[in-house]
Amino acid sequence: MNPSQTRRPNKRRKYGPKETSLSRSKPPIATSKRLQDETEKDDEERRLESLLFGTPLISSTAKGKQKVLGEAEKPAAENSGLDHLADSELFITDFPDEEAVLAKDASQGEETGSQSSSISDSDSETDTEAEPPSSKPTTSAKAPTWSMSKASSSKPSVWLDPSDAAVTISLKDDKRLRKLRDAPEDDQIGGLQYEVKLRDQFEKINPAPAWATAAREKLRNPNAKQKRRRSSVSSQASSDEENDVEELLHGTGSIINTDHKPSLLPPTKLDILGLRDANQTGRSESEVSSVRFHPSPTVPVLLTAGTDRRLRLFNIDGLTNPILQTIHTPNLPITNAQFHPSGQSIFLSGARPYFVTYDLQSGTTTESPRGLWSSSSVTEDGKAQGDRSMEIAKFSDDGKLLAVGGRGGYVHLLQCGTGGSGASAQVITSLKMNRPLKDLEWCGSYGGGNALGEAGGSGRLELMTMSNEGQVYIWDVGSRRCVRTWTDESMYGASKVARGGAGKYFAFGSKTGIVNVYGDGAGSSQSSTTSETPLKAIQNLVNPITSVRFDPSCQVMAIASKYKPAQLRMVHLPSLTVFSNWPTTSTPLGVVMSVDFSAGSEYFAVGNNRGRVLLYNLKHFGTR
């Protein structure tokens, strides 16, 4: 026999009729008989069938007999004895027993009782006790009641749970609760005392704000509130009040007192907060070569300028910083922009032999005459010097003179018009150094004279100039002569000079990244020494210094370099140390082109090569 033709014993053919779905759904015989057998059903099962299928209710009255029950013969519901009670009287609130709570609190000591009262009067400090409710539901069993020892006269605290007093907590069993102990042996405390400890722990981490503390003081001392003025005030007092309001609404200046002296800045940490960009509403299309705040603390205006030939003014509020105006100078790429000391105009200069002034009150732009000093500055062979740049230029403290650095060691002094107008600017003299000029700075006025030292020969205005080699010249502007020269032997290649604190500090930046900080003796013409020793040499940067700026309070100095990204440091002047907490590696400084502080020192602006002006808030001097 062929093996392939052998039958498999496990596979059997089915010759019977196919099973239909009807046959599969047919219930077993025993089950169907059980459903149809009414004798084995009790009354409860018949009642359920009647409710579900609508069949008549049949009750077995005797063995083998069945009877259909009518409505009158249906069994009555069991009487629970509560039919006479209202629905609201069927339930009671399970409050803890007042006597048990008071006894438990008394066993915990007087401290718990005092802390309990401090919780109950956290919202109001009235000493009146709450009266019990006037109406109570009538129940068969007397419901326990409770009362607050010091309830609010207006409304009770919504978060007060009376059952907390019956809770006992162990401070030793849970590791997270051990910090709540006052002593190592403290263990069991009540619920109210536990709540007080949690509240104290939370207030240690999150102190109460000043507005909340003031509101609580007003609730505790309602009589301390200022009373309204009575109608019997004299007419003279009312007129004075009207004049004060009229004076307040007449201008747009700040109403905050800015005459207070700020406290000393701590040297360990600089509390600084990054705000939105100062020029977010008008970003520059080129690098920001100049950022300057208005010299008045009541005018929150910032100017930005760059080689895109545009001057932009912003109203600095720390939030939106809206743009006020944009001025276009088609023929002048701006590299030097600054406010006039009076705050009435803006000086703009660059790699051109002229400068532009913008009057803030009239909104007009004035260009100075060209070739102002071509006849005054000549070479040895009689040819004109031909200075073609006014990038190095600074106003004197009173704003009457403008010092402009030229080529070949020349420094030109210009007398500007009212408010720094350049239309009537004229050269009054030129000073000549033995070496090329790198930077200049005004030393200040001495002896009470005017700008040109014409007060009987006693007063004079002094100017400091610095050469590439670091040699410093101090000039008497009134007599047009050099009164002192000195050299710092530790400086290798000078790059920047700045004055801070009305001559209290002088900072000299070098090409090696070192910034030497000197005292007031560096700018004095009375000293006869030919060298000066710096108070401190700041060696935190390694690239040539291009920006040095003092804040008006003379507590912070910012130094920066544009030859490498993120080259910015903040120096604490009283201790001459560098703040280590800012800037960090994640601070988005970019290449720093210019920096400046606001008149109140609360804002610090950084202009970079990406066209952004980063704005920061120095919290020590004021918040935004």
Side-chain angles (χ1 to χ4, degrees):
M1 179 181 291
N2 190 359
S4 61
Q5 297 179 357
T6 58
R7 294 183 178 179
R8 297 179 181 179
N10 296 333
K11 186 176 181 181
R12 298 180 180 180
R13 297 182 179 179
K14 297 181 181 180
Y15 299 97
K18 294 183 178 181
E19 183 180 5
T20 61
S21 61
L22 184 62
S23 62
R24 285 198 303 269
S25 62
K26 187 176 181 180
I29 299 176
T31 305
S32 61
K33 288 183 178 181
R34 175 71 178 84
L35 294 175
Q36 296 176 0
D37 191 1
E38 297 291 340
T39 59
E40 297 183 2
K41 300 179 182 180
D42 55 2
D43 292 343
E44 185 65 23
E45 187 174 356
R46 292 191 183 95
R47 186 177 295 104
L48 293 176
E49 288 184 359
S50 175
L51 294 175
L52 291 176
F53 306 109
T55 58
L57 181 60
I58 302 175
S59 175
S60 58
T61 56
K63 186 177 181 179
K65 294 183 180 181
Q66 297 178 352
K67 180 179 179 182
V68 179
L69 298 178
E71 295 294 335
E73 298 180 2
K74 291 183 180 180
E78 297 181 1
N79 188 7
S80 60
L82 302 176
D83 294 341
H84 65 283
L85 298 178
D87 294 341
S88 60
E89 300 176 353
L90 294 177
F91 303 95
I92 61 174
T93 305
D94 188 12
F95 291 111
D97 190 4
E98 183 179 7
E99 297 180 357
V101 171
L102 295 178
K104 190 174 187 62
D105 291 344
S107 63
Q108 294 178 356
E110 296 180 357
E111 180 182 1
T112 305
S114 62
Q115 293 171 345
S116 170
S117 62
S118 65
I119 295 177
S120 61
D121 60 2
S122 61
D123 283 342
S124 73
E125 300 295 332
T126 57
D127 296 335
T128 58
E129 296 186 357
E131 297 181 357
S134 58
S135 60
K136 294 183 179 180
T138 304
T139 57
S140 57
K142 182 179 180 180
T145 60
W146 62 280
S147 63
M148 299 172 59
S149 60
K150 291 184 179 181
S152 173
S153 60
S154 57
K155 57 182 179 180
S157 301
V158 295
W159 60 84
L160 183 61
D161 188 358
S163 60
D164 290 345
V167 179
T168 302
I169 298 96
S170 176
L171 301 181
K172 289 185 178 180
D173 296 343
D174 195 344
K175 295 182 179 180
R176 297 177 298 178
L177 301 181
R178 292 177 182 175
K179 59 179 175 288
L180 302 179
R181 297 180 297 177
D182 297 332
E185 60 272 8
D186 293 347
D187 186 11
Q188 300 290 335
I189 61 173
L192 299 178
Q193 188 179 2
Y194 177 65
E195 183 179 353
V196 171
K197 289 182 176 294
L198 288 179
R199 188 184 300 274
D200 294 341
Q201 181 69 17
F202 178 80
E203 291 181 352
K204 288 180 182 179
I205 303 174
N206 304 293
W211 61 267
T213 305
R216 287 172 181 161
E217 289 295 333
K218 290 181 180 180
L219 290 177
R220 291 192 182 101
N221 303 317
N223 297 328
K225 296 182 180 180
Q226 295 182 355
K227 298 180 180 180
R228 296 181 179 180
R229 297 178 178 267
R230 299 180 180 179
S231 58
S232 60
V233 179
S234 61
S235 59
Q236 181 66 26
S238 60
S239 62
D240 293 342
E241 183 180 358
E242 293 177 359
N243 294 335
D244 294 341
V245 174
E246 184 179 358
E247 182 180 358
L248 177 63
L249 301 178
H250 183 69
T252 59
S254 175
I255 61 175
I256 302 175
N257 182 18
T258 58
D259 297 335
H260 67 282
K261 295 183 179 180
S263 58
L264 293 179
L265 182 69
T268 56
K269 181 180 179 181
L270 182 63
D271 194 2
I272 190 169
L273 174 65
L275 306 176
R276 296 183 179 180
D277 289 357
N279 65 339
Q280 63 175 349
T281 56
R283 186 165 295 182
S284 177
E285 299 177 359
S286 66
E287 62 183 25
V288 182
S289 57
S290 295
V291 292
R292 288 293 180 268
F293 283 94
H294 195 276
S296 175
T298 60
V299 182
V301 176
L302 172 73
L303 70 81
T304 65
T307 55
D308 60 349
R309 306 168 191 246
R310 283 171 175 81
L311 168 70
R312 296 176 176 87
L313 301 177
F314 298 91
N315 182 20
I316 302 302
D317 58 3
L319 297 175
T320 58
N321 305 323
I323 186 171
L324 300 177
Q325 197 170 8
T326 301
I327 298 94
H328 183 213
T329 56
N331 301 322
L332 179 62
I334 305 172
T335 58
N336 182 12
Q338 54 185 305
F339 284 97
H340 189 265
S342 64
Q344 300 179 6
S345 63
I346 298 175
F347 173 84
L348 306 174
S349 65
R352 297 292 186 271
Y354 61 91
F355 63 93
V356 176
T357 56
Y358 175 74
D359 191 276
L360 294 175
Q361 296 181 354
S362 62
T364 57
T365 303
T366 306
E367 184 177 315
S368 68
R370 305 194 182 195
L372 289 172
W373 43 80
S374 59
S375 60
S376 59
S377 57
V378 294
T379 59
E380 296 179 356
D381 54 359
K383 295 183 179 180
Q385 185 70 21
D387 289 330
R388 292 187 172 273
S389 176
M390 296 186 65
E391 296 179 277
I392 303 175
K394 292 181 181 179
F395 282 100
S396 59
D397 293 344
D398 55 7
K400 295 181 179 180
L401 291 181
L402 175 67
V404 180
R407 295 191 298 180
Y410 275 94
V411 179
H412 311 289
L413 299 179
L414 281 73
Q415 190 171 13
C416 300
T418 305
S421 175
S424 59
Q426 57 181 350
V427 178
I428 57 175
T429 187
S430 295
L431 308 176
K432 178 67 170 68
M433 297 172 54
N434 296 331
R435 293 174 176 82
L437 175 71
K438 189 61 180 179
D439 201 3
L440 56 85
E441 183 62 72
W442 292 92
C443 297
S445 180
Y446 298 91
N450 59 7
L452 299 179
E454 298 174 352
S458 60
R460 64 188 183 189
L461 184 67
E462 295 182 351
L463 176 67
M464 175 188 293
T465 60
M466 182 179 63
S467 65
N468 289 328
E469 292 81 8
Q471 189 172 6
V472 179
Y473 295 76
I474 299 179
W475 302 83
D476 181 5
V477 177
S479 61
R480 281 80 163 173
R481 63 186 181 90
C482 180
V483 294
R484 184 194 175 195
T485 60
W486 61 271
T487 305
D488 184 6
E489 302 296 341
S490 62
M491 184 179 296
Y492 301 97
S495 60
K496 203 71 177 177
V497 60
R499 182 188 65 151
K504 183 179 180 181
Y505 293 103
F506 287 89
F508 294 84
S510 65
K511 294 181 180 180
T512 58
I514 300 175
V515 178
N516 292 334
V517 182
Y518 299 87
D520 54 358
S524 174
S525 61
Q526 306 299 325
S527 176
S528 59
T529 59
T530 58
S531 63
E532 289 285 342
T533 303
L535 300 176
K536 182 68 177 294
I538 310 298
Q539 304 178 6
N540 293 73
L541 299 179
V542 295
N543 299 100
I545 302 299
T546 56
S547 298
V548 178
R549 198 71 177 172
F550 292 88
D551 82 299
S553 67
C554 206
Q555 298 190 64
V556 184
M557 179 181 66
I559 58 176
S561 174
K562 67 177 182 181
Y563 294 99
K564 192 176 179 180
Q567 294 294 292
L568 173 67
R569 295 295 182 270
M570 306 290 281
V571 182
H572 181 259
L573 285 176
S575 63
L576 294 176
T577 57
V578 178
F579 290 101
S580 60
N581 68 308
W582 194 89
T584 63
T585 55
S586 60
T587 306
L589 293 176
V591 178
V592 179
M593 305 298 297
S594 180
V595 297
D596 193 28
F597 294 90
S598 63
S601 302
E602 69 273 15
Y603 290 115
F604 176 64
V606 180
N608 61 17
N609 63 331
R610 303 173 185 171
R612 297 178 57 189
V613 178
L614 308 177
L615 186 64
Y616 297 93
N617 174 224
L618 301 179
K619 293 185 176 180
H620 175 79
F621 301 99
T623 57
R624 60 176 179 84

